Amino acid sequence: MTNPLKDVLNSGVILITGTNTTANHPIIANYVYEAVTKRGAKLIVVDPRRIKLAEIAEVYLRQRVGANVAWINGFMNVIINENLQNQPYIDERTTGFAELKECVAKYTPEYVYELTGIPPQDLVAAARLFATSGPGAILYAMGITQHTTGVNNVKSLASLSMLCGYVGVAGGGVNPLRGQNNVQGACDMGGLPNVLPGYQAVTDEGVREKFAKAWKVSKLPANVGLTVTEMTAKAGDSIKALYIMGENPLLSDADLNHVEKNLKALDFLVVQDIFMTETARLADVVLPSACFAEKEGTFTNTERKVLRVRKAVDAPGEAREDYRIIADIARKMGYEMECADASSVMEEIRSVTPSYGGISYERLEKGGLVWPCPTLDHPGTPILHVNKFSRGEGVFFPIEYQPSAELPDAEYPFVLTTGRVYEHYHTGTMTRKGDALNRLYPEALAEINVEDAKALNVASGDYVKIASRRGELRIKAVVSEVTDRGVAFVPFHFYESAVNKLTNPALDPVSKIPELKICAVKIEKAA
């Protein structure tokens, strides 16, 4: 996120797309409600499903699933044609505007209607509102990223924000809402295949030398590693052993039948987790780890704020802190990994990660700090790119719309999209362990449009069979107008109705994220 969570309270207009915020990020949704109902902010919601926030939106646009670049280019077409862009900001702080202008010229409201189904007059109204009611904040989540064009979707939103001069200002920004707590921290600490902690490239010789010295080794490998999706695809083939920590790919990855086959083909699988997940049941060795309340450490949340976590209770049985398990394994393999306690780990982080250089346990005792925070006297950086971008000039990327990898056809005429519900979290590893949440939402439901249900002779509570080219699922239907005609929505929390058996493993070429948000399916009433 470029801006703090509460910064929407300073926004004149808020654009929400690809995030069912009330269900997935309810605290953030509360700030949005306050901004709109108490502070007069205008809300634009662009989503294939009529989410709850659409009720308070000035404009709600329902686009076809996967047509994100098209409508974003349509916004920019209207803004440029009506000369609503922030030209001084563009001239002073960006590059590539001429190329962007040329690219979006053909994305007229009428052309965008053909691609997205958004009525031209509604697109124009929303674009005008966003450009003229600033500062404007953009909030998005996996409805934008989990596509084969996910990176392009994000770049397009960044261009839209820069076009209006909203990056680097209070109440503005481009703000991805992270899907799990501390996923930001995991990325910050090098939990990506191409970087070391602090997003320092593994291909940079100077960076490798710095880390090799800190870790007391002669050298570090220069090659970029594999993403999660690439690892599971190669499991049992070029990858013979896999160590999975705090992840449940046997429920969260696309095309689960293929994932299960590959994991079973491994010579050796280790899973380190707090519960016996579906993936852990396949493991040769399960390492029980302590949960957040059973250890010291930090979380880095979605707004880049580093927060202390303090141990409240002892871990049960043989469960131990993750870093101690890892350090012991490293010692067994011949490397003396020095981890006296969690505070010493933070000291190492400070020493090798410039953006965390000023973040110490002593300072965190007084409250959270937002990176970049390079020195101990630095206050932290709540808003990124103030006055200038970290790279110098902000870059406009001219991006053409590309259809999703798998579209409906005569055999598979419906679109399946997946997501979360308010009552459950990710693969249900924690939320489905308690009776209360299971009573509130006890089983997976396939959300089907009213008109489609009539054609299928399906009522709420009936079972339907949903089939894709990869598998099929028998599931109870719920009929509503939340989802558009031709679209079915299914949450992915439920192992009994694992919808990711159906989803498409096609990847974004850059991020390697699978296209979990759209695949072609056929639906029929089940016996």
Side-chain angles (χ1 to χ4, degrees), residues 251 278 423-435 437-438 441-444 493-497:
L251 207 54
E278 287 71 31
E423 293 81 1
H424 291 295
Y425 179 73
H426 206 53
T427 62
T429 302
M430 293 179 286
T431 57
R432 298 201 64 215
K433 294 292 188 292
D435 290 338
L437 292 176
N438 278 326
Y441 204 108
E443 62 182 321
H493 312 291
F494 299 85
Y495 66 87
E496 310 95 319
S497 303

Side-chain angles (χ1 to χ4, degrees), residues 156-354:
S156 295
L157 286 176
S159 291
L160 174 61
S161 186
M162 289 193 299
L163 186 68
C164 299
Y166 293 158
V167 180
V169 300
V174 183
N175 301 297
L177 309 181
R178 291 298 204 171
Q180 299 185 61
N181 62 325
N182 211 28
V183 70
Q184 182 68 56
C187 294
D188 294 350
M189 292 302 103
L192 296 164
N194 60 331
V195 293
L196 289 158
Y199 306 97
Q200 300 172 82
V202 298
T203 53
D204 186 313
E205 185 176 356
V207 167
R208 294 198 309 276
E209 288 176 355
K210 177 179 73 171
F211 278 92
K213 182 178 179 181
W215 293 339
K216 299 176 184 177
V217 295
S218 58
K219 63 178 181 178
L220 294 175
N223 55 300
V224 173
L226 301 176
T227 65
V228 169
T229 48
E230 290 173 315
M231 283 188 276
T232 52
K234 295 185 177 183
D237 185 13
S238 57
I239 292 178
K240 304 299 182 184
L242 202 55
Y243 187 154
I244 299 174
M245 187 175 79
E247 187 74 7
N248 191 14
L250 205 58
L251 207 54
S252 61
D253 280 15
D255 192 6
L256 290 182
N257 292 320
H258 185 67
V259 172
E260 181 176 13
K261 177 184 175 183
N262 287 8
L263 293 182
K264 286 182 175 178
L266 288 163
D267 291 348
F268 188 52
L269 174 61
V270 181
V271 172
Q272 184 170 320
D273 216 314
I274 63 174
F275 288 115
M276 185 64 77
T277 65
E278 287 71 31
T279 307
R281 291 190 182 99
L282 291 183
D284 297 288
V285 174
V286 177
L287 302 174
S289 58
C291 80
F292 79 98
E294 298 161 355
K295 57 189 175 184
E296 298 287 328
T298 63
F299 282 163
T300 306
N301 73 3
T302 192
E303 63 180 355
R304 295 174 287 108
K305 182 179 285 186
V306 183
L307 301 156
R308 277 283 279 117
V309 177
R310 296 168 181 84
K311 182 177 177 179
V313 294
D314 290 330
E318 297 179 87
R320 303 172 61 209
E321 300 100 318
D322 289 301
Y323 78 94
R324 293 194 185 278
I325 296 172
I326 295 167
D328 280 355
I329 291 174
R331 281 190 284 272
K332 293 283 187 183
M333 297 175 71
Y335 174 66
E336 288 299 319
M337 186 176 285
E338 299 171 10
C339 293
D341 54 31
S343 63
S344 67
V345 174
M346 178 55 76
E347 286 303 304
E348 180 183 303
I349 291 169
R350 289 202 319 108
S351 70
V352 294
T353 310

Side-chain angles (χ1 to χ4, degrees), residues 89-206:
Y89 181 100
I90 293 166
D91 294 340
E92 293 168 13
R93 298 195 50 185
T94 69
T95 185
F97 173 66
E99 292 81 358
L100 178 81
K101 182 178 179 180
E102 181 181 357
C103 172
V104 303
K106 72 180 182 183
Y107 289 87
T108 63
E110 292 73 25
Y111 179 51
V112 171
Y113 171 68
E114 295 176 15
L115 299 175
T116 69
I118 296 173
Q121 67 274 16
D122 294 344
L123 182 87
V124 171
R128 286 174 179 164
L129 183 65
F130 186 71
T132 60
S133 302
I138 298 175
L139 307 182
Y140 72 90
M142 288 177 286
I144 284 290
T145 57
Q146 288 183 339
H147 293 272
T148 49
T149 57
V151 169
N152 284 345
N153 293 343
V154 173
K155 286 181 176 180
S156 295
L157 286 176
S159 291
L160 174 61
S161 186
M162 289 193 299
L163 186 68
C164 299
Y166 293 158
V167 180
V169 300
V174 183
N175 301 297
L177 309 181
R178 291 298 204 171
Q180 299 185 61
N181 62 325
N182 211 28
V183 70
Q184 182 68 56
C187 294
D188 294 350
M189 292 302 103
L192 296 164
N194 60 331
V195 293
L196 289 158
Y199 306 97
Q200 300 172 82
V202 298
T203 53
D204 186 313
E205 185 176 356

Side-chain angles (χ1 to χ4, degrees), residues 468-479:
S468 75
R469 290 175 173 85
R470 290 156 293 279
E472 65 180 48
L473 185 67
R474 187 177 184 271
I475 186 171
K476 190 180 289 185
V478 58
V479 178

